[in-house]
Each structure stands twice: as C-alpha cells, then as structure tokens.
C-alpha cells in the first residue's frame, strides 16, 4: 500500500506540474493570438473593410482554445488535489475538446494557406487597379497594403510611388511579399496549434492514469 500511495502522489504531482505548464501555455496562446490579430504586421490590414475575415478564423479558434486552456488548467489542479474522478473525467473531456480545436487550427493554417494568399493577392490587385483608374479612390487601401507588407507595386513601383512607405529602401514586389509573409505567419499558427495539441495528449494520459489509480486505491481500501 505504501508503494501504491507513493505512485499515486507521484502521478498527482506530475498532473499538477502539467496543469501549471498548461495554464501558462494558455496565457501565451491568448497573448500570441491577440497580438497577431490586433498588433504586429497585420494590425492596419485587419482594419480594412475588405479584409478577409476567414483569414483570422484560425486565430479566433486559437484564442478561444487558449482561454479554455487556462480554465482547464485550474480544473485539472482541483481534480488532482481533491482526487476526484468526476472532476478528472471532466478535465479529460475538456482536453479532448482543446485537442480537436488545436488540430483544426493547425490543419486550417497549413491547408488554407494557398487560398488565403490568393485572396489577399487578389485584394491587392483590385486596390492597385482602382488606384491607377482613380488616384484618390484607391489611395487609402493601397497605402495600407504597402505599409502592412512593407512593399511597393508589382513589377515596378513607379506608377504607385506616392503610396509607398518612405522608409522602404529599394523595390519590393507586393505580390511576392504577400505570399512570403502570410505563408510564414500561417505556418507559425499551424505549428503552435499542433504543438498545443501534442501537449494535451500528455495531460489526457496523466489524468486517466491518476483516475485509474484513485479508483484502484479505493478498491484496495
């Protein structure tokens, strides 16, 4: 019984440690998602009326999963300290939901990458052509694109030079920059999603092992 009790305490402390790590990871995920959505490179671009909202679906799922992670981390600590099979079962179910959400985020980021890139490139082409037709109509949108992606024009920047960032040195093709920046950022979102999903697997294992150990200890008693 002494060895069994020692093993039970060991599993309990492992789960408590996991939940602390999980809570911190949830905080980091929320901060990452909110910064990505409302700050950084995409801040000005997201304020446009024509900005592709579906482009941010992965971020919304990521932020929601981060908030759930923080709540679940607290729930897991309660279940471990109280040795409650009911709470641990709820903890396992929540981890399963988070796992599904993070896998969805990762898959969406990797598979939807090309669609998102083409959509934003099309938006830029429309703003570019609008500007050439009417120098005032498309001015604000084109400036936003150039400022966000730190680029200017397509093959040449001569026709849209007034809308280019003053700090930009040399010519950068916006079509290429859009592809490069969005590809990198969506890959980062996908990696974070898959990484959190992998982390939840350990939590599910620890919770089930502890739940079984608690049940066995009560059967022995």
């Amino acid at each position: 019984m002494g060895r069994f009790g020692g093993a039970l305490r060991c599993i309990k402390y492992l789960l408590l440690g996991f939940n602390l790590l999980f809570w911190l990871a949830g905080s980091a995920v929320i901060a990452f998602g909110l910064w990505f959505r409302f700050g950084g490179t995409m801040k000005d671009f997201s304020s446009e009326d024509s900005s592709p909202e579906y482009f941010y679906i992965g971020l919304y799922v990521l932020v929601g999963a981060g908030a759930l992670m923080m709540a679940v981390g607290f729930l897991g600590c309660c279940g471990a300290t109280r040795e409650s099979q009911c709470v641990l079962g709820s903890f396992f179910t929540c981890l399963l939901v988070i796992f599904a959400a993070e896998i969805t985020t990762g898959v969406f980021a990797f598979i939807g990458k090309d669609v998102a890139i083409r959509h934003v490139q099309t938006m830029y082409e429309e703003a570019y052509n609008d500007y050439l037709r009417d120098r005032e109509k498309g001015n604000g949108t084109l400036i936003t694109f150039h400022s966000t992606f730190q680029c200017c024009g397509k093959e040449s920047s001569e026709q849209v030079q007034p809308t280019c960032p003053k700090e930009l040195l040399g010519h950068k093709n916006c079509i290429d920059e859009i592809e490069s920046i969005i590809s990198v950022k969506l890959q980062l979102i996908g990696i974070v999603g898959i990484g959190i999903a992998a982390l939840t697997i350990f939590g599910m294992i620890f919770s089930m092992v502890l739940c079984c150990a608690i049940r066995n200890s009560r059967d022995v008693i």
Side-chain angles (χ1 to χ4, degrees), residues 131-153:
Y131 177 77
L132 294 183
R133 284 193 296 267
D134 187 340
R135 299 283 173 171
E136 296 300 327
K137 180 181 178 182
N139 190 42
T141 303
L142 205 59
I143 288 174
T144 299
F145 266 105
H146 290 161
S147 175
T148 298
F149 294 99
Q150 285 298 295
C151 60
C152 186

Side-chain angles (χ1 to χ4, degrees), residues 16-34 61-74 95 98 102 191-200:
L16 287 171
F18 167 83
N19 281 299
L20 176 60
L21 179 63
F22 204 62
W23 191 89
L24 293 173
S27 304
V29 167
I30 292 176
F32 170 79
L34 291 177
V61 174
L62 204 63
V63 171
L68 185 59
M69 285 170 65
M70 294 183 68
V72 169
F74 178 75
L95 286 181
I98 293 174
E102 297 297 349
I191 290 171
V192 170
I194 298 298
I196 296 299
L199 183 63
T200 60

Side-chain angles (χ1 to χ4, degrees), residues 25-151:
S27 304
V29 167
I30 292 176
F32 170 79
L34 291 177
W35 173 82
F36 209 144
R37 178 62 177 85
F38 299 106
T41 306
M42 306 304 291
K43 179 181 179 180
D44 295 331
F45 179 65
S46 64
S47 64
E48 288 294 307
D49 293 334
S50 58
S51 62
E53 284 301 315
Y54 76 88
F55 178 72
Y56 298 102
I57 289 176
L59 285 179
Y60 296 143
V61 174
L62 204 63
V63 171
L68 185 59
M69 285 170 65
M70 294 183 68
V72 169
F74 178 75
L75 181 66
C77 287
C78 291
T81 53
R82 294 179 61 184
E83 298 184 4
S84 171
Q85 289 179 280
C86 180
V87 176
L88 288 173
S90 300
F91 173 70
F92 178 88
T93 303
C94 291
L95 286 181
L96 196 59
V97 172
I98 293 174
F99 177 81
E102 297 297 349
I103 288 293
T104 300
T105 299
V107 170
F108 176 84
F110 285 116
I111 293 181
K113 180 178 65 174
D114 293 336
V115 176
I117 289 172
R118 282 196 300 270
H119 186 84
V120 177
Q121 286 176 336
T122 300
M123 287 174 56
Y124 178 78
E125 294 274 7
E126 292 174 353
Y128 184 91
N129 293 331
D130 285 344
Y131 177 77
L132 294 183
R133 284 193 296 267
D134 187 340
R135 299 283 173 171
E136 296 300 327
K137 180 181 178 182
N139 190 42
T141 303
L142 205 59
I143 288 174
T144 299
F145 266 105
H146 290 161
S147 175
T148 298
F149 294 99
Q150 285 298 295
C151 60

Side-chain angles (χ1 to χ4, degrees), residues 121-188:
Q121 286 176 336
T122 300
M123 287 174 56
Y124 178 78
E125 294 274 7
E126 292 174 353
Y128 184 91
N129 293 331
D130 285 344
Y131 177 77
L132 294 183
R133 284 193 296 267
D134 187 340
R135 299 283 173 171
E136 296 300 327
K137 180 181 178 182
N139 190 42
T141 303
L142 205 59
I143 288 174
T144 299
F145 266 105
H146 290 161
S147 175
T148 298
F149 294 99
Q150 285 298 295
C151 60
C152 186
K154 295 189 286 187
E155 289 79 10
S156 172
S157 61
E158 293 181 3
Q159 293 179 304
V160 293
Q161 190 63 46
T163 66
C164 298
K166 295 180 180 180
E167 66 274 13
L168 182 65
L169 301 176
H171 169 64
K172 287 186 179 181
N173 189 315
C174 282
I175 299 299
D176 296 336
E177 288 300 306
I178 288 170
E179 180 178 2
S180 175
I181 291 174
I182 292 180
S183 177
V184 169
K185 291 188 177 296
L186 282 180
Q187 284 180 358
L188 183 59

Side-chain angles (χ1 to χ4, degrees), residues 10-20 76-77 79-80 88 91 202-203 206-207 210:
C10 180
I11 297 171
K12 182 193 298 186
Y13 292 141
L14 282 173
L15 188 58
L16 287 171
F18 167 83
N19 281 299
L20 176 60
C77 287
L88 288 173
F91 173 70
F202 291 99
F206 288 148
S207 63
L210 181 58

